[in-house]
Every structure is written in structure tokens, then in C-alpha cells.
Amino acid sequence: MKDAAQAGRPRPPLLLNNIGTLLTLQGGRDPRRGRELGNLNVIANAAVLCRDGKIATAGPEREVLKHAKELGADPEIESFDCKRGTVMPGFVDSHTHPVFAAPRLLDFEKRIQGASYQQIAETGGGIRSSVESVRSASEVDLAQGVLAAFRHMQSSGTTTAEAKSGYGLTTEAELKSLRAIRQAAGEWPGTVVSTLLGAHVVPPEFAEKPHEYVKLVCEQMIPRVASDKLADFVDVFCERGAFTLPQTELIFDAAREHGLGVRAHVCQFSPQELSRLKRFSPASFDHLDCLSDQDLKSLAQQDTVATLLPGASYFLAHSYPPARRLIEAGAAVALATDYNPGTSPTTSMPMILSMACTQMKMTPAESISAATINGAHALRLGGSKGSIEAGKDADLALFAVSDYRELCYWFGGNSCSAVVLNGILMKN
Amino acid sequence: MKDAAQAGRPRPPLLLNNIGTLLTLQGGRDPRRGRELGNLNVIANAAVLCRDGKIATAGPEREVLKHAKELGADPEIESFDCKRGTVMPGFVDSHTHPVFAAPRLLDFEKRIQGASYQQIAETGGGIRSSVESVRSASEVDLAQGVLAAFRHMQSSGTTTAEAKSGYGLTTEAELKSLRAIRQAAGEWPGTVVSTLLGAHVVPPEFAEKPHEYVKLVCEQMIPRVASDKLADFVDVFCERGAFTLPQTELIFDAAREHGLGVRAHVCQFSPQELSRLKRFSPASFDHLDCLSDQDLKSLAQQDTVATLLPGASYFLAHSYPPARRLIEAGAAVALATDYNPGTSPTTSMPMILSMACTQMKMTPAESISAATINGAHALRLGGSKGSIEAGKDADLALFAVSDYRELCYWFGGNSCSAVVLNGILMKN
């Protein structure tokens, strides 16, 4: 339900009051590297005042109400009673693949019968099986699916989402996918960061000449995407059966040349020598299930965020990424859904938090910071997203729980009752 | 939202039409032992007619509409458009512990720090930590919590729930818990089966004299529960640190003497010699994570249903029960949530189906039958619940998916859009 203000009238200030527990995630050590996990900055009996899409004040209710009064006692101020629930920054889901046409039910059944990810890919399933339907789909239909995904994400507390192309694998189909993301983003009040993932897998028609496909990505896709301003980042699936490390370097070089940021899928099924990519300062390395000790050390010293995707580990029944080792080594850890039709069909960040706690032994406080402020850093949005601080974007999520740990404890359900996206209140 | 008919007027027949996919689960081998898993009986373009709380007809839409007309063209017939979604029998959640006063967040955090179930129990956490708050809670407050749980279950497609006491552990507190279940059941249109679990754990005041507690269960709790008709079954947590096999036999003897059915928590953390309990014909053995080969064989030849609870395996990050071995040996397998505050804080049967498929390698068809018709058999309700057949109770669930496999494939969300409970339509 959108608030009346969206109908065209200037939006009145929004006051969230009667908050039982407020997690601001304010404070921390290094604005570029992401926060030390676990500093939630918990305030009881709180309120948040939003104005012009930004946080005006957040803190103890008495102080915020005083500030609201000082603002000039705007008669139009909109109040929302949070009924003693828990308010925190909206989730930043920093890794999703929402541009697809159909669920991959055949892969799902094959896996139950014992086929591995690699076996499914080798027999025509996997990423390639999503390609045909995306190539033939209309941009409008794809946009509709992406918008539905954003709305599902929002229903469980996500206010910022990264969205990748990657099931088109021709210049036209990748551009169409990115335009579908742009179209859906225009209809959703949340924030969307777009990523070109032309290098998701080598398409069948280039099976015998992968270097030509890499050339296509570098010389056609990246320049077009940059000139049309269709993406903020370029991503590469750097893995056995997808793209090699030298190919990844070529693609990153082209991205840098065209002013685009870079990020990569790495170490999902096999270790890679990540230090070779250090010179590109990737915003994030994602997956990291098979991280070597050497890369672990190197990652802990980099600005690059380590984005963990337990949804895929769960769905594939693989081992989970080494969250504790990363945290203890000092790496900046983020959590995301990896929403995609092959290996992680979920849009729920609370489900990801449950997995982080139960399977990866992250504490509730660590997992909440990984899913908010560190997700923001993984998208280079640490200055405007991921914490509740005056001047930052008004992106909030309200949960009907009295203790923040319950966000991670209950699983399979949804306690999110409202979100604020860039100052716009949407109730569930 | 309840339909208008609940306001007192006689309820009109209910027609669910425009069903894209109907799973009736009709047919199978042995009405007592549960169905061979996986026979969903899928019908495209279907409808279901309900009358007086029962299924009148279900099948191809044309036939059902013809039958509806023959009924006398009742002008009051209520139609509900299923919008091409999937309709199946409502889930039968045959193992839940909904009578508690608070989530166990301390246990949750201790486990993240590395403590085992047994270590948490030994240091005052675990089941015992729920006891104090249940003993001091009012019956009304407990009933409110139970009713909230039933409504959460319903929101994801459950129409029949088993509910156990077991956090009171005095005669009065166990009776209070069962009365709370009865009170909540009276306010919920679904079906509830009550179970006395006085033998959940030995309470602290009997720590040095467990045999006296067993005597209390046998000589006070069971007779009182039977005479007040407060439960259908007696359950025992037969496990290291809880109750021994000989104690379980004593309790089962008392239950049988008072005309109550029996079921047991077995082999969750250690194997037990289940054949010793065969003579009691338990309705179900639940958990079975540590099942020996010998017990597996014995179970395959019994009427006793094997109820698997992957939610607890997930939450404790233990290994999952051996579903494939049980199915291949010919055992009747059911799936349930094990909803409880210590080891499985979920009310979502779709989440359990996801785990059954991804972690235990059950097929979608197997897991759907385990969660419906075999759950009904685990409660000895196979004659009235768990499949869509003329004369059975009108318990249905509608999901906004076009392929039934999607019920198991998407996870962490909820695609249930309506349920019918004993003929009463409730929309989500």
C-alpha cells in the first residue's frame, strides 16, 4: 500500500514512533571497508523522523519528538505507530539475479536424484537453460518479473537491491535485461544497483571459442552498457566451467576503461588466486565457499567486501562459506540472497540471517550488520545506505518482534510489517 | 478473513473453481500404513465442491460443475476463483509443541558459540528453561500463544495440527497446557489433535528420583488427562538425558490402560531399540535421525509412521534423518515442523518441504504426500484427512504457483493464498 503522498502532493515528514527497539548501526571503524560486525547501536523506546526522503533524526523518542516540534510543528506530519516493534535499516541485498523467465524445476529434480551442479551444467541444464527463455522474452515481461522480485524482497524488509543481468549472453539480450531492471527500478520506490553479468557463462554458440565471447563482452557489451548508463558494475563468474582468472582480468580491464566498478563470483566450487585481482579494487568478492588460507589473509587486508551467499549453499546442499574464519581474520563480511532460479530461489533476507546464524555460526548482531551496513559497502553505498543516521536515505524496516535476535531465530515465516523506502512508507 | 457464513447463517456450498492444478492424493496401497509416497493424482483444469464441511466432488472442472448443477442449483452457492493456482489437501502438521511462553534466545546464542544440545540442557537451558515461564503463565495467555501459532500455520497452508503439552511437567501445569490447546482449538476452524507430553524431560525437582516422576506421569497425569478427555495421545521423549526405554514402556502401558494412543520421540541424538515398543503399535515414531539398520528394517514392517522433522536438524545444524533409506525400505514417512521454542522455531510446512527436497533428497511428490496423507495417518486420521476425496473433511490449501514442484522449490517465502478448514474458506 503506498501512502497518499505518492499521488503527487509534496510528501509530509514521516515520524515513526513507539519503537520498542531501534538498531541504528551508527558508528564503526572504516567507512570504506565496512563496519566491524556486531555494533548495532541498540536504543530502547525510540523514534525516527524522516524528511524529504532522508533521516532527519533518530534516537530516544523524547529527543526525536522534541526535534519534530522544533521543525516548526508542521501540521501535516505523518505519524506511524510501530507498536513496540523493532526498527532497523532496511536490508541491502547486494547480490541478486532477478532477470529470468521461469523457475528451473528440472535442475531441481535432477539434483534430488543426485546430479551435481557441474553435471547439470554439462547436460544442458544450469545457467544455459535460462538463456533461451530470456532471449525470447519481451523486455516488458522481464521487467514485470523483476518488479515482482523487488516487491517480494520488500515484503521481508529489503529496501536496496543489486540486480544483475546474465541470462541473455548476447549484447542485445544483456542490454534488454538491464533495461528491464531499469524499468522495474523506476516503478519501485526502493533503490536498485545494476550490474552487467555478460560473463556469467560462455553461451553454447561460443563453446569452442570462449576467447571470442570474452572479446564480445569487452568490446561490445561493456562499451554499450557504459554509454547507455545501464549498469554501475561489471561482474564475472570466475570459476571452473565459466571464466578463467586471465579472462576475468581482461573483462575487469575493459570495465575500468569504461568507468564501471567491478565485482566477481569467486571460489564457489574451487579456489582461485584472488590476489591477482587485487589491483582492480573490486567492490566485492562473492560466494567464497572454497577460500584458501592465503586468499583469506589477502582478503582481510583489502577494501573488497566478502559477500557470503548461504542460500546457494543450502539449496545445493554444499558446505557453507567460512564466515567465522573471515570475521576473525578481519575481513568485511556481507550477506545477500543470491536470488536466482538455479541455485537460490529465495528473496528473503531473514531466511539468509537464519542460515548465517544456525549454519555459519554468525551471531545475530553480526549477521544483521552484514545484511545492512556491510551490504551497503559492498555496493559502495556506505555513505547513504545501511545505517540510520541523520542525512542518510530514509530506508527502514519494521519487524513485529520485541528482541532483535528474533529476526534470526524464527525461520520460514515473515515478521516484517512495514518498510520505508527513500522516505516512502509501505505497509505489509 | 472469515467468510460471511460464519456469522451464524447456514453455510452455503463452496465451489473452488478455475484450479490450474489439483493434487487429490487419492488412491494408494494401505489405509492404515499410510500411502506409498509420491502418488499425487494430478488433475489439470479442476474444481472442488464442498458441502457441510466435507468434500462433495473433486476432479475435472466440467464434471464438478455438472455435479454442482445437479445438486439443485442452489442459488446460494459460494464460488471462489483459484486463478489457475495449485490446490492440494491442507498440510497435516503432525508434530508441534505450541504451548510455551517465550522464545529461547539464550539457547540460540549459546549454540552459535558452540554449545551442543546436551551441553545447553546440562547448564540449565533447553526444555527446562521453558518450564518456569509455562508454570507461572495463565491458561488464557498460553491459549493466546497457541492460537497465534495455529493462525501462523494456517497462513502457510496447514489445516490440521497436532499439539503437545510438555513444558509444564507438573500435573496441574500439564493439564493447564492441554486446556490451553483445547481453548485455542475452539477458536480455530482447523482441526487439532492433542497429545500429553508429560514425559518430555525429568523436571529439576525430580532430578534425583526420575522413577517417581514416571510414576506421577503414569498414576496422576495420564488418568486425569483421560478422564477430562484432554488428549488423544501420550508421547514420550525417549532419549539419553530424558526417558529410558523401560520408562517409556511403563508410560505406554499406562496410556493403553486409559485408552489413549501412543507416539514417541526416538533416535534424535542416539539410537534406541525400537522393536521393544512394537507391541504398543505407536501411531508414530518421530525424529529418527540416528536410526540403526535393524530398527530401519523393523520400522518398515510396522504400521507405525516414521515422522521426520528436518526443522530441528536444520536449526541444530545436525545431520538430517535418513529419508531415502526409510522410503526405500518401505516405511511410511511423514514430515512435520516440530514447532517449538528450543530446536525448531518455525510453523511453515513449505519450509519443511524445501528441506526435505534439498537436504534429504525426497522428491517434491514424496514430500507433499508425506506432509498431507501420511501426516494424517501419523495421527490416525487417514480416513478423514490428508487427501481430497468425496466424503472426507473439506481441508484444502491454495498456492499461487502453476507447477506443484514450486511448493518445494521456492524457500523462505509464502505462496499460500487461501485455505479451506472443515469447509470454511480463509483468505491470506
Side-chain angles (χ1 to χ4, degrees):
Chain A
M1 210 182 75
K2 297 199 177 188
D3 69 352
Q6 280 200 291
R9 288 183 287 132
R11 198 183 306 150
L14 172 67
L15 176 71
L16 273 71
N17 59 22
N18 200 21
I19 297 171
T21 306
L22 175 69
L23 315 178
T24 71
L25 283 93
Q26 194 167 13
R29 53 179 187 190
D30 182 340
R32 187 165 166 85
R33 290 208 47 229
R35 297 285 161 76
E36 192 171 6
L37 294 186
N39 290 332
L40 300 182
N41 192 18
V42 181
I43 302 172
N45 307 314
V48 178
L49 180 69
C50 309
R51 207 183 182 191
D52 300 327
K54 306 283 176 190
I55 307 288
T57 337
E61 187 158 36
R62 205 178 307 176
E63 289 175 24
V64 175
L65 294 180
K66 198 176 149 210
H67 183 208
K69 223 171 179 179
E70 285 165 4
L71 271 182
D74 190 325
E76 270 199 286
I77 204 163
E78 181 189 2
S79 281
F80 182 73
D81 182 350
C82 294
K83 295 181 181 164
R84 313 290 310 149
T86 296
V87 169
M88 48 171 273
F91 292 120
V92 178
D93 190 349
S94 60
H95 184 134
T96 88
H97 303 252
V99 194
F100 59 88
R104 289 222 298 269
L105 299 170
L106 273 177
D107 292 8
F108 179 53
E109 290 205 312
K110 279 186 193 163
R111 197 170 297 118
I112 290 168
Q113 287 154 19
S116 71
Y117 180 95
Q118 308 284 2
Q119 285 166 336
I120 288 170
E122 281 160 16
T123 56
I127 295 164
R128 288 184 188 89
S129 67
S130 288
V131 169
E132 202 176 332
S133 56
V134 165
R135 285 182 181 174
S136 63
S138 74
E139 190 178 311
V140 169
D141 285 348
L142 290 176
Q144 206 163 34
V146 176
L147 183 57
F150 291 156
R151 287 179 175 155
H152 273 126
M153 291 174 191
Q154 171 193 316
S155 72
S156 50
T158 297
T159 54
T160 296
E162 188 252 16
K164 304 178 198 292
S165 66
Y167 298 114
L169 309 186
T170 63
T171 301
E172 278 320 306
E174 288 295 306
L175 290 170
K176 177 176 68 177
S177 297
L178 291 170
R179 285 193 304 264
I181 293 170
R182 182 161 66 184
Q183 191 181 323
E187 294 177 50
W188 186 53
T191 302
V192 176
V193 172
S194 291
T195 298
L196 168 67
L197 180 57
H200 200 183
V201 77
V202 176
E205 62 272 24
F206 285 90
E208 304 303 318
K209 41 185 181 178
H211 56 286
E212 286 192 27
Y213 184 68
V214 172
K215 208 173 157 197
L216 180 82
V217 171
C218 294
E219 296 179 10
Q220 286 193 24
M221 287 188 198
I222 289 174
R224 284 286 301 277
V225 165
S227 71
D228 292 2
K229 295 192 193 318
L230 276 169
D232 308 288
F233 288 98
V234 170
D235 194 346
V236 178
F237 187 17
C238 178
E239 183 60 69
R240 218 169 43 201
F243 295 89
T244 63
L245 205 49
Q247 290 170 334
T248 304
E249 290 178 280
L250 288 173
I251 295 166
F252 276 10
D253 269 325
R256 190 158 60 172
E257 196 182 319
H258 288 86
L260 296 170
V262 298
R263 51 201 317 110
H265 291 62
V266 293
C267 310
Q268 184 178 8
F269 302 114
S270 57
Q272 277 104 33
E273 208 189 323
L274 296 185
S275 56
R276 283 183 58 177
L277 300 175
K278 197 169 174 176
R279 64 187 171 100
F280 298 100
S281 298
S284 176
F285 283 139
D286 300 38
H287 282 297
L288 302 168
D289 304 59
C290 304
L291 193 64
S292 71
D293 282 339
Q294 197 176 338
D295 279 332
L296 178 86
K297 267 185 218 156
S298 151
L299 198 49
Q301 292 155 4
Q302 286 176 51
D303 284 351
T304 302
V305 173
T307 301
L308 309 184
L309 308 167
S313 306
Y314 164 79
F315 197 70
L316 300 176
H318 280 195
S319 60
Y320 288 82
R324 285 250 63 87
R325 281 169 60 216
L326 281 160
I327 292 169
E328 275 144 32
V333 170
L335 287 165
T337 61
D338 192 17
Y339 174 60
N340 81 75
T343 62
S344 192
T346 187
T347 53
S348 168
M349 287 295 280
M351 192 69 229
I352 298 303
L353 297 191
S354 164
M355 290 174 181
C357 292
T358 60
Q359 312 302 308
M360 291 153 60
K361 306 302 176 199
M362 291 174 71
T363 66
E366 286 170 342
S367 62
I368 289 171
S369 27
T372 54
I373 186 67
N374 278 16
H377 282 291
L379 298 178
R380 295 273 158 89
L381 293 178
S384 58
K385 302 285 182 188
S387 61
I388 302 178
E389 307 184 50
K392 275 196 160 184
D393 296 342
D395 290 344
L396 310 167
L398 166 63
F399 295 88
V401 296
S402 55
D403 187 309
Y404 75 83
R405 295 171 296 179
E406 291 179 69
L407 281 175
C408 308
Y409 162 86
W410 304 105
F411 65 93
N414 184 18
S415 63
C416 181
S417 49
V419 288
V420 176
L421 309 107
N422 291 303
I424 296 171
L425 176 68
M426 311 274 278
K427 295 170 206 159
N428 257 353
Chain B
M1 209 182 74
K2 297 198 177 187
D3 69 350
Q6 280 199 291
R9 289 182 285 132
R11 199 183 304 149
L14 172 67
L15 175 71
L16 274 71
N17 60 22
N18 199 20
I19 296 171
T21 306
L22 175 69
L23 316 178
T24 71
L25 283 92
Q26 195 168 12
R29 53 177 187 192
D30 181 340
R32 187 166 166 84
R33 289 209 48 228
R35 297 284 162 75
E36 193 171 4
L37 294 185
N39 290 332
L40 299 183
N41 192 18
V42 182
I43 302 171
N45 307 316
V48 179
L49 181 68
C50 310
R51 206 182 184 192
D52 300 326
K54 306 282 175 192
I55 307 287
T57 335
E61 187 158 36
R62 206 178 305 176
E63 289 174 26
V64 175
L65 294 180
K66 198 176 148 209
H67 183 209
K69 224 172 179 177
E70 284 165 4
L71 271 183
D74 188 327
E76 270 199 285
I77 204 162
E78 183 190 0
S79 282
F80 183 73
D81 182 350
C82 294
K83 295 180 181 166
R84 312 290 310 148
T86 296
V87 169
M88 49 170 271
F91 292 120
V92 178
D93 190 348
S94 61
H95 184 134
T96 88
H97 304 251
V99 196
F100 58 87
R104 289 221 299 268
L105 300 169
L106 274 177
D107 292 9
F108 178 54
E109 289 205 314
K110 279 186 193 165
R111 197 171 296 117
I112 290 169
Q113 288 153 19
S116 71
Y117 180 95
Q118 308 284 1
Q119 285 167 336
I120 288 169
E122 281 160 16
T123 55
I127 295 165
R128 288 185 188 89
S129 68
S130 288
V131 169
E132 201 177 334
S133 56
V134 165
R135 286 183 181 173
S136 62
S138 73
E139 190 178 311
V140 170
D141 284 348
L142 291 175
Q144 204 163 35
V146 176
L147 182 58
F150 291 156
R151 287 179 175 154
H152 273 126
M153 291 174 190
Q154 170 193 316
S155 71
S156 51
T158 297
T159 54
T160 296
E162 189 251 17
K164 303 177 199 293
S165 66
Y167 298 115
L169 309 187
T170 63
T171 303
E172 279 320 306
E174 288 295 303
L175 290 170
K176 177 176 68 178
S177 297
L178 291 170
R179 284 194 304 265
I181 292 169
R182 182 161 68 184
Q183 190 180 323
E187 295 177 49
W188 186 53
T191 302
V192 176
V193 172
S194 291
T195 297
L196 168 68
L197 180 56
H200 200 183
V201 76
V202 176
E205 62 273 23
F206 285 90
E208 304 304 318
K209 42 185 181 179
H211 57 286
E212 286 192 27
Y213 185 68
V214 172
K215 209 172 157 199
L216 180 83
V217 171
C218 294
E219 296 179 10
Q220 286 193 24
M221 286 187 197
I222 289 175
R224 284 285 302 278
V225 164
S227 71
D228 292 3
K229 295 191 192 318
L230 276 169
D232 307 288
F233 288 97
V234 169
D235 194 346
V236 178
F237 187 17
C238 178
E239 183 60 69
R240 219 168 43 199
F243 295 89
T244 64
L245 205 48
Q247 290 170 335
T248 304
E249 290 177 280
L250 287 174
I251 295 166
F252 276 10
D253 269 324
R256 189 158 61 173
E257 196 182 319
H258 288 86
L260 296 169
V262 297
R263 53 202 314 110
H265 291 62
V266 293
C267 309
Q268 183 177 7
F269 302 113
S270 57
Q272 277 104 34
E273 207 189 324
L274 296 185
S275 56
R276 284 183 57 175
L277 299 176
K278 199 171 173 176
R279 65 187 170 99
F280 297 100
S281 297
S284 175
F285 283 138
D286 299 38
H287 282 297
L288 301 167
D289 305 58
C290 303
L291 193 63
S292 71
D293 282 339
Q294 196 176 339
D295 280 332
L296 179 86
K297 268 185 216 156
S298 151
L299 199 49
Q301 291 155 6
Q302 286 176 51
D303 283 352
T304 302
V305 173
T307 301
L308 309 183
L309 308 168
S313 305
Y314 165 78
F315 196 71
L316 299 177
H318 280 196
S319 60
Y320 288 82
R324 285 251 62 87
R325 281 169 62 215
L326 280 160
I327 292 169
E328 275 144 32
V333 170
L335 286 164
T337 60
D338 192 17
Y339 174 60
N340 80 75
T343 63
S344 191
T346 186
T347 53
S348 167
M349 286 295 280
M351 192 69 230
I352 298 302
L353 296 191
S354 163
M355 290 175 181
C357 292
T358 60
Q359 312 301 308
M360 291 154 58
K361 307 301 177 199
M362 291 174 70
T363 67
E366 288 169 341
S367 62
I368 290 171
S369 27
T372 53
I373 185 66
N374 279 15
H377 282 291
L379 298 177
R380 296 274 156 88
L381 293 178
S384 59
K385 303 285 182 187
S387 63
I388 302 177
E389 307 183 49
K392 276 195 160 186
D393 296 342
D395 289 344
L396 310 167
L398 166 64
F399 296 88
V401 297
S402 56
D403 187 310
Y404 76 83
R405 295 171 297 178
E406 291 180 69
L407 281 175
C408 308
Y409 162 86
W410 305 104
F411 66 92
N414 185 20
S415 63
C416 180
S417 49
V419 289
V420 176
L421 309 107
N422 290 301
I424 296 171
L425 175 68
M426 313 272 278
K427 295 169 206 159
N428 258 352

